[in-house]
Amino acid sequence: MNIITIEHVAKVYEVGAEEVHALRDVSLKIDKNEYVAIMGPSGSGKSTLMNILGCLDTPTRGLYNFKGHNVSEMNDNELAKIRNKEIGFVFQTFNLLPRSDALHNVELPLIYAGVPASERKERAILALENVGLADRMHHKPNELSGGQRQRVAVARALVTRPSIILADEPTGNLDTKTGEDIMSLFNDIYQQGNTIILVTHEEYIAEHAERIIRIRDGLIERDENVIKRVIPKKKEEVA
Amino acid sequence: MKNYLFELKEGLLISLRAIRANKIRSVLTTLGIVIGVTSVVLMSTAIKGIDNVFQKGVSSLGSDNLYIDKWEWFNNDIPWWELRNRRNLTLEDYRRYSESAKLPIAAAPTVWSIQKIKHKNTTLEAIFITGTTNDYIRTTNLTFDEGRFFNEIESRGGRNVVVLGNTVAKNLFPHRHALSEDIKIKGQKFKVVGVLSEQGSWVMGSFNPDNQVFIPIQNVFKYLQSQSFRSITINVRAPNTQMIEPVKEEAIGIMRRVRGLKYSEANDFSINQQEGLLNNINQTIGVIQIAGLFITSLALFVGAIGIMNIMFVSVKERTKEIGIRKAIGAKKRTILSQFITEAVIICLLGGLVGFLLALILSMIVNQFLPTSVQVDAVILAVIISLITGVVSGFAPAYTASKLDPVEALRYE
Ligand SMILES: Nc1ncnc2c1ncn2[C@@H]1O[C@H](COP(=O)(O)OP(=O)(O)OP(=O)(O)O)[C@@H](O)[C@H]1O
Ligand SMILES: [Mg+2]
């Protein structure tokens, strides 16, 4: 079953008199329980695509169908609802509320979903347990390490049980070791039956996915399934 | 609806957290509202106090009284020289009036003089002396601390007796009873037969009974000034408020006859009543109210601008936060109500502090001007804070709600 279908999507930014074609003509389908990595050089349009897929932004042209709903025609309120209920974001810079503790950060999407306080708390604590941070739930972001912060962000993305997880360079601000921890967390999430789209620059990160989409200049260059090696750690061989 | 209440509650918690995170700034911002609300509440309380004092002063005059006088007290319709050229009212006019008047409870002539009074080594300068008859007491609501008013025999006989106003008695006899003591007015000995209880209506100044002494009218003419020196005033008390008009009509008829006026001649006397005074007072208080409201609303306006300013700064600073909230599902309405709620809370806190401050200050004011903070002032403070919050919070909140999530997330 397709969760996401986009057809001939383009995004044009107007900077002064100039037009920047961030996406030119992109079509793709994402199935339930897929694990997709999006790769490409800087400025190729990866984040732009993610923002459109995540309903943070709307395409200039083209069709976007999310679980049978035409997103291109939705108003701000409907988009907010989709973001809240169907999509879990994980950002490169974590994007946690700095003044709120981990628990409240994870609770926040449930607040906007109108979940009653007691149930909310229970679910938030459970989500933090799943990422191994139950003992840190009353810590503020600046009292947590980068990896821990990203795990809080992952917990926040998962807490609403969304249809899809979107992660834009989730390991970009982390060292290799911590990045690997986060990636194995994503693996677990994937194994539990979630759908993940992940943007990355690193081949060895992308190899965790089952499918890699390569973008260049706002166009899909290649879209292929990963042939899993027996020893996926040897990244030089792939590159 | 339930969902909206829910959002409101969350908005409240978010706002409280934001306010706590920026304590100093919130306090400084709130100061404007504190001052605004303090001044509004204090002003309304002070005006109430002024009003109280005036009303009390007026009612100590006696609410059912008329004053037949040469002078028109409150009305400027008649030119003053015309008033001056009127013949004085005399004791004889009074005698003939009181013989014919059927409706009043009582009528008494009064005449005033300003004199020094003495007891032993204590001298009081410029005391307001009212000369009158024993009937006077029945035209007033005055009560006594000790003694009584002078009686008919003392009044007719022109005995040297005196009734002291409360303040006068206190000043002249700081440590003991005044009753039966002698005082001197212009060298003449007068025996104290009564001391009035405190009236406390200081607004009437030297007309306040507290600051006066009363002696038989004959003695004023005998010792202080001649009969022709000053017109007398006839104090007339109607049985009740409804009877004021008939009493007035009757008085005009009798006085025209007494004064021998022809049909074509205008009245050469005036019938004064405190309604005129009340009108004057209400006008004055109205002006004070408008001026006070204007000044205090300026203070509030400045406070509101301060809040609006700080809310704009806050929205700018928290652009990223707004982006995050939107990315995880906050609607426009949610963001809007979050920031409005924050402004309203700041204003309500400010209003509360301002109100408490006003409460304390009003106790100080109370020393000079008997007053107290009224319930309507509480309601006023709450409503004002609420409105100020919504008004000053709306524009910044609207800006916040309209932010594009992608742009906001990119903001550093
Ligand atoms: N708001 C914007 N206004 C104008 N141009 C924009 C805007 N956002 C993105 N662009 C342009 O669109 C193109 C694609 O940007 P995008 O952020 O999608 O790249 P990316 O693939 O995510 O790059 P990176 O790997 O560096 O994150 C770039 O040329 C960028 O300059
Ligand atoms: Mg990017």
Side-chain angles (χ1 to χ4, degrees):
Chain A
M1 181 198 133
N2 283 341
I3 295 179
I4 284 174
T5 311
I6 60 172
E7 283 168 17
H8 307 295
V9 159
K11 180 77 188 180
V12 183
Y13 292 106
E14 296 190 10
V15 183
E18 249 180 273
E19 285 191 343
V20 178
H21 294 262
L23 291 178
R24 292 176 191 274
D25 185 348
V26 176
S27 302
L28 61 82
K29 287 185 164 71
I30 310 276
D31 269 350
K32 190 167 159 52
N33 200 17
E34 271 201 273
Y35 189 175
V36 181
I38 298 178
M39 296 196 72
S42 187
S44 55
K46 304 183 296 292
S47 296
T48 307
L49 180 59
M50 288 294 264
N51 289 341
I52 288 173
L53 292 180
C55 298
L56 278 172
D57 211 347
T58 46
T60 317
R61 285 192 302 274
L63 279 182
Y64 179 10
N65 195 298
F66 188 97
K67 282 174 108 179
H69 303 286
N70 187 353
V71 176
S72 327
E73 285 178 356
M74 285 186 179
N75 63 24
D76 284 344
N77 259 354
E78 290 168 322
L79 289 176
K81 215 175 209 166
I82 292 255
R83 289 199 293 269
N84 183 236
K85 297 228 158 77
E86 303 287 350
I87 292 164
F89 273 106
V90 179
F91 301 91
Q92 180 177 352
T93 53
F94 320 133
N95 284 346
L96 300 173
L97 296 186
R99 289 192 293 255
S100 303
D101 62 16
L103 182 62
H104 186 256
N105 265 294
V106 177
E107 267 186 289
L108 205 56
L110 298 178
I111 292 176
Y112 292 136
V115 177
S118 55
E119 183 191 338
R120 203 165 75 204
K121 198 154 200 168
E122 204 180 296
R123 280 171 67 177
I125 292 174
L126 205 70
L128 280 168
E129 268 170 11
N130 281 343
V131 299
L133 278 179
D135 55 335
R136 296 283 193 279
M137 66 185 176
H138 293 303
H139 289 230
K140 300 227 167 97
N142 63 2
E143 296 158 356
L144 295 169
S145 73
Q148 287 171 330
R149 282 182 220 181
Q150 196 58 301
R151 279 194 276 162
V152 173
V154 171
R156 179 180 67 185
L158 285 171
V159 77
T160 54
R161 300 185 198 114
S163 305
I164 191 162
I165 308 285
L166 300 178
D168 193 345
E169 301 191 45
T171 59
N173 275 20
L174 303 173
D175 59 61
T176 318
K177 167 80 183 55
T178 322
E180 277 300 333
D181 289 348
I182 293 293
M183 287 324 291
S184 67
L185 184 59
F186 273 107
N187 278 346
D188 293 347
I189 294 165
Y190 169 60
Q191 298 300 338
Q192 287 158 19
N194 285 294
T195 313
I196 301 172
I197 305 180
L198 171 113
V199 168
T200 180
H201 279 116
E202 315 283 347
E203 290 290 345
Y204 74 93
I205 299 282
E207 279 198 356
H208 288 273
E210 305 282 329
R211 174 181 166 193
I212 300 181
I213 298 173
R214 290 175 202 274
I215 295 190
R216 187 179 291 275
D217 287 337
L219 287 168
I220 293 183
E221 193 183 39
R222 256 195 302 164
D223 184 346
E224 58 192 1
N225 288 334
V226 177
I227 303 116
K228 287 276 173 179
R229 308 270 164 126
V230 187
I231 315 151
K233 275 274 156 87
K234 289 192 177 169
K235 50 194 179 236
E236 289 86 1
E237 286 172 42
V238 182
Chain B
M1 185 62 206
K2 181 177 162 258
N3 203 33
Y4 190 74
L5 282 179
F6 183 78
E7 266 178 33
L8 196 72
K9 188 185 144 223
E10 290 306 325
L12 220 73
L13 293 176
I14 291 167
S15 318
L16 283 175
R17 200 173 283 129
I19 289 166
R20 226 184 306 143
N22 280 313
K23 281 189 204 79
I24 294 181
R25 182 201 283 176
S26 299
V27 165
L28 289 177
T29 310
T30 311
L31 214 57
I33 298 300
V34 170
I35 293 170
V37 169
T38 305
S39 52
V40 167
V41 172
L42 212 56
M43 184 65 79
S44 80
T45 309
I47 289 170
K48 182 80 193 157
I50 292 171
D51 198 31
N52 281 347
V53 163
F54 273 116
Q55 304 295 354
K56 203 173 164 208
V58 169
S59 68
S60 83
L61 273 178
S63 51
D64 304 330
N65 282 28
L66 294 173
Y67 304 89
I68 308 173
D69 198 13
K70 173 178 171 178
W71 305 96
E72 185 86 25
W73 290 3
F74 307 112
N75 201 330
N76 302 324
D77 291 349
I78 306 167
W80 68 270
W81 62 85
E82 222 169 275
L83 294 175
R84 205 194 53 179
N85 288 341
R86 285 173 171 180
R87 281 174 293 148
N88 281 350
L89 264 67
T90 63
L91 269 181
E92 180 62 15
D93 291 339
Y94 161 71
R95 197 185 56 73
R96 288 173 61 193
Y97 165 76
S98 63
E99 267 173 16
S100 310
K102 299 282 176 285
L103 301 178
I105 292 177
T110 61
V111 69
W112 57 273
S113 178
I114 306 275
Q115 302 291 343
K116 248 193 253 187
I117 65 175
K118 271 175 81 169
H119 170 72
K120 300 207 170 126
N121 294 329
T122 317
T123 306
L124 301 181
E125 302 284 344
I127 293 299
F128 196 97
I129 315 260
T130 297
T132 185
T133 64
N134 56 299
D135 292 317
Y136 177 81
I137 195 66
R138 289 197 290 132
T139 69
T140 69
N141 300 325
L142 298 177
T143 51
F144 288 82
D145 268 4
E146 25 178 7
R148 54 173 175 83
F149 208 71
F150 41 82
N151 59 33
E152 190 174 350
I153 297 161
E154 289 162 336
S155 174
R156 281 182 188 272
R159 303 271 173 81
N160 281 10
V161 288
V162 65
V163 172
L164 303 183
N166 197 275
T167 312
V168 175
K170 272 187 195 138
N171 291 339
L172 216 49
F173 301 93
H175 306 300
R176 35 200 278 249
H177 290 289
L179 203 61
S180 303
E181 296 286 337
D182 284 339
I183 67 163
K184 278 191 174 169
I185 306 175
K186 220 177 177 184
Q188 292 295 320
K189 256 196 202 164
F190 284 80
K191 187 177 156 204
V192 177
V193 294
V195 175
L196 297 179
S197 39
E198 192 175 336
Q199 308 299 310
S201 52
W202 54 266
V203 133
M204 305 302 292
S206 59
F207 294 96
N208 184 345
D210 289 349
N211 303 327
Q212 294 187 28
V213 306
F214 301 83
I215 61 175
I217 194 163
Q218 258 95 321
N219 294 353
V220 173
F221 299 140
K222 199 154 75 187
Y223 304 124
L224 309 181
Q225 64 203 24
S226 77
Q227 250 201 83
S228 58
F229 181 71
R230 186 172 281 144
S231 175
I232 66 161
T233 303
I234 303 171
N235 291 17
V236 181
R237 166 159 277 205
N240 52 51
T241 315
Q242 285 74 39
M243 287 300 287
I244 284 186
E245 269 313 301
V247 169
K248 191 172 175 180
E249 292 303 316
E250 184 197 52
I252 291 172
I254 297 172
M255 285 310 290
R256 285 187 65 87
R257 194 148 32 78
V258 166
R259 305 279 270 181
L261 296 178
K262 294 206 194 73
Y263 184 72
S264 58
E265 284 175 311
N267 293 346
D268 64 349
F269 55 89
S270 291
I271 314 258
N272 299 294
Q273 61 190 99
Q274 59 157 283
E275 199 179 292
L277 182 59
L278 269 182
N279 285 343
N280 273 16
I281 289 170
N282 289 340
Q283 268 175 21
T284 312
I285 289 177
V287 171
I288 296 174
Q289 243 158 2
I290 289 169
L293 226 71
F294 180 72
I295 295 166
T296 48
S297 55
L298 270 184
L300 258 177
F301 185 66
V302 173
I305 289 184
I307 300 261
M308 195 187 286
N309 188 26
I310 218 69
M311 289 305 293
F312 268 119
V313 172
S314 173
V315 166
K316 188 90 196 151
E317 270 185 3
R318 284 151 72 189
T319 300
K320 181 130 194 174
E321 177 193 322
I322 295 163
I324 295 171
R325 288 179 187 280
K326 285 198 155 187
I328 60 175
K331 297 186 178 117
K332 272 187 183 174
R333 191 188 63 203
T334 317
I335 301 287
L336 188 77
S337 69
Q338 179 194 326
F339 279 89
I340 290 182
T341 309
E342 195 172 317
V344 167
I345 287 182
I346 290 180
C347 287
L348 279 179
L349 287 178
L352 183 73
V353 174
F355 184 76
L356 294 179
L357 204 64
L359 216 60
I360 294 167
L361 289 176
S362 75
M363 285 173 194
I364 300 172
V365 172
N366 194 32
Q367 305 292 309
F368 312 99
L369 196 64
T371 185
S372 60
V373 174
Q374 308 289 309
V375 180
D376 45 357
V378 183
I379 297 166
L380 191 73
V382 171
I383 289 178
I384 284 175
S385 324
L386 216 71
I387 291 176
T388 312
V390 172
V391 167
S392 60
F394 187 82
Y398 187 70
T399 319
S401 76
K402 289 236 312 190
L403 283 176
D404 177 57
V406 177
E407 295 291 325
L409 274 173
R410 199 175 298 172
Y411 186 89
E412 283 305 325

